[in-house]
Amino acid sequence: MLFSPTPLHIPDGFLNLVISLLFWALTMAMVGLAISKTNKTLGERQIPLMGVMAAFIFAAQMLNFPVAGGTSGHFLGGALAAIVLGPWAGILTMTAVVAVQGLLFQDGGLLVMGANIFNMGILTAAIGFGLYRAVRNRPRALRLGGIGVAAWLSTIAAALITSLQLWLSGTSRLEIVIPAMLGVHALIGFGEAVITVAAVAFIEQTRPDLLRAENSANGKWGWAVAGMGISLLVVLISPLASAKPDGLERIAEDLGFINAGRSAPYEILPDYTVPLLGETALSTILAGAIGALFVLGILILVGRRMSSRA
Amino acid sequence: MPVKHQAVHDIRTPLCEGEILQVQDLEFAYPSGYAALRGIDLCIREGERVALVGPNGAGKSTLMLHLNGILGQSKAILIAGLPVIPENYPVIRALVGLVFQNPDDQLFSPTVFEDVAFGPLHMGLSEEEIYQRVEEALAAVQMSEFEDHLCYHLSMGQKKRVAIATVLAMRPKILVLDEPSAGLDPRARRSLIQFLDTLPITMLAATHDMRLVEDLFPRMVIMDEGEIVADGLTSRLMANDSLLKAHGLESSRA
Amino acid sequence: MHVDAFNQYHAGESLIHHLDARAKVVVAISFIFSNALLPDGSWVTFTLAWMFLLLANELSGLGLGFTLKRSFVALPFALVAGSAIFSPLGEPLAVWDLGFMTLIPTDAGVRRFFSVLIRSWLSVQMAILLVATTPFPDLIHALEHLRAPRVLTTIIAFLYRYLFILTDEARRLLRARESRSANLSGRKHGGTLWWRAKVTGNMVGQLFIRSYERSDRIYKAMLSRGYAGHLRTLNPHIMRRFDWLILILSLTFLLLVQFLGWIQ
């Protein structure tokens, strides 16, 4: 089967109604904005360009590459779409992709589609384009490295928010779902990073005019700030959430809201941010930052290697 | 560098006043600076069938895209007396039915019906008239029973026919075809030629298919390097082997 | 691969096939909404919802078990919900000591786990039935009528149209890659993982450029046919009295299911 469901396309039933509707609202607001923004910058070309680009992302997701033992790396494409098309067009493109995956192939549910679009289209666009915007005019190696980090982090961010949504819906235990999802996606994200970097490098060489054309309208630093802010949040939350102390009793206290998944999800949040001040939390944040720097270093090396070969 | 022949213009009338297509001294350069068209003169009478031949990069497609203003306005072109300027675009795009080489680029809607309806719909016609025109156009290309089919499910020959129907539905005065027989197997090609022969409409077709030219187009225009190097009766030009060879062509009997 | 792997529509002449696409979309979404709203462990009402689904299956002429056979796509995701079994609420059912951690399944946790699975299983079947009985272009029109932004529905229509063509193109690229990857015996196949990912990236870049250029040609074809930036659509669908009847009956049934689910 070509479109094997990835752990990021949440099916119906796994998120509760409050979370589903909340993310539908967020997504609709962002998509509405994206429609009017792309209409301004692209004009008449908006429809054919976005439509074919959505089909392109869909087809590109098919180009999986063998990793090992019969498994294959999957490509999400949210960061790439935002980098090559600009953030708003990227959002619109991914919205169409996720919508068709859910509607036509049942890869992702309908009631939870708002959340799926948010996770795989909006968040990935913000991180992907935001970080790219920050390094766009830097030397090639740094630029490609930055793109790699953006792609990797966008996958991690999508996995993180998916886990949080599942947790807030009372479907999964945080201390299980976070390490599982983040662990898997740290690997998947590496494939995403290499493919995104190679694709952008290829386009930069063959048709550099395309990248300039689509990004010239997005010259403001707002996206860079938003992208870096969200990335920082991801880097802070991920280790914090996965390094929960052992013992189900302790978790029981924290996660007392899981009664049929219908308690107000916001009740638990203040509880959860308190340990931020604690010593152990500080150390995990530090660990997260060091880990991210490590990945950045590797990806800059990768970028160097790629540019020297080209 | 091909040898320049004396241009053969035995059909061109000194004045082409009142004719369906008039092009006078059309120049065009792409933003990169490449001069794709250098002083094109071309007149086509109503009901004429003209083939446009020449090597790749001769400027055939560029010329065709100019005829309805896709590459920008041009006062050097008159369609039924109207200059190709933005105010006239809506009328001119209905008058000039442009059929692209790859039907997959031309048929961009999911179903056959929607695609054929696209032109009439964007001409602002009434719903009733749209349905009538779609029916008519599909009947003209003998594809009526495919109205609800998905475009992707059609064969290449069927796609070409539907692509022609999409512009026929706009009731054009002149049909402009880019490589109509490209990508067709011999049988589909034969049937397309027979079908085109039944259409009572002015036709301009760019093609490399010299047998198609001989079968369907009494008049032939040879382009090379952005210029018209020959314009005359197909039978005469086809007999001129050195002319054909000089522009990278060969006669159908070769 | 065959073309029709993409075509989820199963042609038919049944009552469900002839139902207006809008009515089907509204009923399907209400059904999924209703499942999400039902409390955990309301097995009776879950069964009622299942009956509704079976009836729809039967009326579609595709057979009672049609959607059942295709409903396991969401199964891998069930693993994610597995951790709900160990919810700290409710009475412990057992204590599993794994050495590094102790797992305690509880009754509330098990109830939650199975409720999530059933909701998901019912919902995905309804979505399958919707696309199996409604041609995708009609589905897009229905969304348009239901006030989805037209720009978005048109982009989706384009995606649907070119999805096939671009995946074909992607497949040709893959085939070209395979035919050039010699598999010499005794050698490691296909280069390093890094190299494979990079080659894939180059293919993605190539596909992007081809797609971009294609979108430009399509844009020209649209301009040639009178497109001037403003999209128009025909409104070929009319809700008949019968469509309204089915819609109202279905929604009433779902309301009844909700009522029963909550008085338990």
Side-chain angles (χ1 to χ4, degrees), chain A residues 76 78-80 83 123-135 140-158 185-198 200 224 227-232 234-235 288-304 306, chain C residues 194:
Chain A
L76 199 60
L80 178 69
I83 289 168
L123 200 59
T124 52
I127 292 181
F129 184 77
L131 295 190
Y132 171 66
R133 178 66 189 80
V135 298
R140 190 180 155 90
L142 186 64
R143 185 173 63 236
L144 292 181
I147 289 170
V149 173
W152 185 78
L153 258 183
S154 73
T155 315
I156 296 290
H185 286 89
L187 284 176
I188 291 180
F190 190 73
E192 180 90 12
V194 177
I195 292 181
T196 305
V197 169
V200 174
M228 287 191 283
I230 295 171
S231 305
L232 194 67
V234 171
V235 171
I290 291 170
L293 280 177
F294 180 68
V295 172
L296 178 74
I298 289 180
L299 285 161
I300 287 177
L301 282 180
V302 161
R304 281 242 170 86
M306 198 167 280
Chain C
W194 153 247

Side-chain angles (χ1 to χ4, degrees), chain A residues 64-125:
Chain A
N64 52 16
F65 58 102
V67 175
T71 61
S72 54
H74 269 277
F75 180 64
L76 199 60
L80 178 69
I83 289 168
V84 295
L85 299 171
W88 295 113
I91 287 174
L92 215 46
T93 301
M94 290 305 288
T95 300
V97 170
V98 175
V100 169
Q101 281 169 338
L103 276 171
L104 194 56
F105 301 106
Q106 288 82 48
D107 200 359
L110 305 183
L111 192 58
V112 298
M113 191 182 281
N116 280 330
I117 292 172
F118 187 88
N119 303 352
M120 288 182 280
I122 296 172
L123 200 59
T124 52

Side-chain angles (χ1 to χ4, degrees), chain A residues 169-170 172-173 207 214 258, chain C residues 80 86 89 112 212-213 219:
Chain A
S169 301
S172 293
R173 303 295 307 276
R207 290 288 305 270
E214 297 315 323
I258 304 176
Chain C
V80 178
F86 313 108
L89 294 176
R112 170 122 194 94
Y212 195 99
E213 285 166 353
Y219 172 58

Side-chain angles (χ1 to χ4, degrees), chain A:
Chain A
M1 189 58 202
L2 278 171
F3 303 99
S4 55
T6 55
L8 287 179
H9 292 78
I10 308 171
D12 277 318
F14 282 73
L15 296 187
N16 70 20
L17 209 52
V18 178
I19 298 289
S20 306
L21 295 182
L22 180 73
F23 277 94
W24 253 124
L26 276 173
T27 295
M28 282 200 295
M30 290 299 280
V31 169
L33 217 52
I35 288 174
S36 70
K37 293 275 185 187
T38 52
N39 202 342
K40 260 184 220 139
T41 54
L42 295 169
E44 300 168 351
R45 288 183 55 232
Q46 180 194 33
I47 299 281
L49 181 66
M50 298 292 91
V52 179
M53 283 304 135
F56 152 71
I57 292 288
F58 213 120
Q61 291 183 341
M62 239 189 70
L63 291 174
N64 52 16
F65 58 102
V67 175
T71 61
S72 54
H74 269 277
F75 180 64
L76 199 60
L80 178 69
I83 289 168
V84 295
L85 299 171
W88 295 113
I91 287 174
L92 215 46
T93 301
M94 290 305 288
T95 300
V97 170
V98 175
V100 169
Q101 281 169 338
L103 276 171
L104 194 56
F105 301 106
Q106 288 82 48
D107 200 359
L110 305 183
L111 192 58
V112 298
M113 191 182 281
N116 280 330
I117 292 172
F118 187 88
N119 303 352
M120 288 182 280
I122 296 172
L123 200 59
T124 52
I127 292 181
F129 184 77
L131 295 190
Y132 171 66
R133 178 66 189 80
V135 298
R136 191 169 68 190
N137 300 318
R138 304 277 154 210
R140 190 180 155 90
L142 186 64
R143 185 173 63 236
L144 292 181
I147 289 170
V149 173
W152 185 78
L153 258 183
S154 73
T155 315
I156 296 290
L160 178 66
I161 191 146
T162 303
S163 311
L164 292 178
Q165 286 159 347
L166 288 166
W167 168 60
L168 290 172
S169 301
T171 304
S172 293
R173 303 295 307 276
L174 193 63
E175 77 278 16
I176 295 174
V177 74
I178 289 261
M181 289 287 275
L182 292 193
V184 168
H185 286 89
L187 284 176
I188 291 180
F190 190 73
E192 180 90 12
V194 177
I195 292 181
T196 305
V197 169
V200 174
F202 185 89
I203 297 163
E204 270 185 357
Q205 271 169 20
T206 328
R207 290 288 305 270
D209 54 311
L210 297 187
L211 287 173
R212 275 199 295 277
E214 297 315 323
N215 285 323
S216 57
N218 304 296
K220 294 196 193 77
W221 274 89
W223 278 100
V225 173
M228 287 191 283
I230 295 171
S231 305
L232 194 67
L233 218 60
V234 171
V235 171
L236 293 184
I237 293 179
S238 307
L240 189 70
S242 52
K244 288 297 271 186
D246 299 330
L248 293 180
E249 278 86 346
R250 171 69 204 278
I251 306 292
E253 267 175 56
D254 277 15
L255 305 187
F257 76 103
I258 304 176
N259 60 349
R262 223 177 311 282
S263 290
Y266 46 82
E267 278 176 347
I268 196 65
L269 282 174
D271 233 0
Y272 190 65
T273 45
V274 173
L276 237 168
L277 307 168
E279 225 176 296
T280 48
L282 206 67
S283 63
T284 52
I285 289 169
L286 211 63
I290 291 170
L293 280 177
F294 180 68
V295 172
L296 178 74
I298 289 180
L299 285 161
I300 287 177
L301 282 180
V302 161
R304 281 242 170 86
R305 199 172 150 189
M306 198 167 280
S307 55
S308 63
R309 276 196 191 177

